């Protein structure tokens, strides 16, 4: 996100004689969120922009001119995608699928081709390219620090077939073996655990408060409420304490990859 949008918001706020806290109160947002938008560190959601327009009396200017990138992602994920690129540490949990930043091309393509009505090949390719672009944050050997907590079901579900799954798990194993990420597996015999109801991504930053993103079917939400983010962090820590240690997780991933290869 560029600074023009944030600078314009700041100028309108000052012209209205409002402090960041005044605007936050009027728009039902947090002061820190206003500060991050004005500094160009965060993209407001469409609902945020609508409330800001109402609070400032700017018609639909802030809603109409939300920053846009030439990327193909769901509207609800875009703010989280931008923060993902700025994070110094990321903790991911997924019970159904391998998280996006770890996905191989064929695995991602299998996901994009699923559903009805089917997407065109051109749209699928665009979505896959965007997903692979997200993975470039792992090109840096150190930052961000990335932890992944995966439910065993995400490794056993044959997305794209056994060959695609074997390749996907091998990719994960490679990331662990080169010490770029840490992966812990929640074994299926564990039963219920604190994160089982959805996908969670926790993000920390160098110069702003932590944030969290949660996602369900056809919906997702970025959270920056300190109380809610802390609650999600605690749930993650509790689930992590029940997961297999990394050495055992690696052994299980190798065994599951081998099972997929044998069924190919």
């Amino acid at each position: 996100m560029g600074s023009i949008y944030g600078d314009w918001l700041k100028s309108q706020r000052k012209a209205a004689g409002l402090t960041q806290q005044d605007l936050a109160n009027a728009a039902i947002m947090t002061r820190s969120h206003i500060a991050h938008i004005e500094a160009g560190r965060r993209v407001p959601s469409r609902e945020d922009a609508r409330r800001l327009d109402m609070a400032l009396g700017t018609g639909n200017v802030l809603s109409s001119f939300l920053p846009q990138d030439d990327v193909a992602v769901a509207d609800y994920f875009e703010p989280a995608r931008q923060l993902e690129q700025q994070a110094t540490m990321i903790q991911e949990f997924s019970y159904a699928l391998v998280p996006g930043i770890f996905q191989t091309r064929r695995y991602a393509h299998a996901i994009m081709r699923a559903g009805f009505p089917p997407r065109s090949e051109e749209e699928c390719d665009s979505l896959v390219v965007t997903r692979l672009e997200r993975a470039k944050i792992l090109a840096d050997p150190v930052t961000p620090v990335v932890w992944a907590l995966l439910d065993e079901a995400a490794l056993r579900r044959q997305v794209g077939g056994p060959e695609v799954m074997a390749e996907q798990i091998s990719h994960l194993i490679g990331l662990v073996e080169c010490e770029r990420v840490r992966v812990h597996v929640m074994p299926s015999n564990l039963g219920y655990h604190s994160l089982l109801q959805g996908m969670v991504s926790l993000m920390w930053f160098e110069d702003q408060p932590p944030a969290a993103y949660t996602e369900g079917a056809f919906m997702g939400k970025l959270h920056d409420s300190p109380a809610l983010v802390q609650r999600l962090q605690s749930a993650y820590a509790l689930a992590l304490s029940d997961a297999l240690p990394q050495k055992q997780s690696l052994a299980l991933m190798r065994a599951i990859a081998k099972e997929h290869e044998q069924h190919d």
Side-chain angles (χ1 to χ4, degrees), residues 16-155:
L18 300 175
T19 65
Q20 288 181 339
Q21 188 61 60
D22 291 334
L23 181 55
N25 293 340
I28 318 175
M29 298 166 66
T30 63
R31 188 207 61 78
S32 63
H33 194 27
I34 299 291
H36 294 322
I37 295 171
E38 289 187 351
R41 292 191 294 263
R42 292 194 182 178
V43 177
S45 67
R46 293 188 184 281
E47 178 59 21
D48 287 341
R50 185 189 68 79
R51 290 201 302 267
L52 287 169
D53 272 328
M54 290 183 63
L56 292 169
T58 48
N60 66 346
V61 176
L62 289 162
S63 302
S64 299
F65 294 98
L66 277 170
Q68 298 292 326
D69 286 337
D70 293 327
V71 294
V73 295
D75 288 344
Y76 54 76
F77 180 67
E78 176 57 18
R81 185 195 69 84
Q82 297 218 13
L83 287 185
E84 185 179 69
Q85 305 300 305
Q86 305 168 32
T88 56
M89 184 168 79
I90 299 172
Q91 289 185 313
E92 296 268 13
F93 167 74
S94 180
Y95 73 93
L97 298 169
V98 173
I101 58 174
F102 304 130
Q103 290 178 7
T104 63
R105 180 180 293 275
R106 293 202 295 170
Y107 185 93
H109 188 268
I111 292 171
M112 301 311 172
R113 286 296 293 168
F116 190 84
R119 294 185 174 99
S120 68
E121 198 63 33
E122 182 180 47
E123 185 181 2
C124 283
D125 288 344
S126 178
L127 291 165
V128 169
V129 166
T130 297
R131 187 149 297 185
L132 296 178
E133 285 290 319
R134 287 174 54 203
K136 288 185 176 179
I137 60 175
L138 300 177
D140 186 299
V142 177
T143 304
V145 175
V146 181
W147 292 50
L149 181 56
L150 301 181
D151 197 279
E152 185 178 338
L155 302 174

Side-chain angles (χ1 to χ4, degrees), residues 179-194:
E179 300 182 342
R180 181 59 186 84
V181 305
R182 291 186 66 88
V183 175
H184 296 270
V185 177
M186 302 291 289
S188 57
N189 62 7
L190 178 64
Y192 182 84
H193 58 79
S194 58

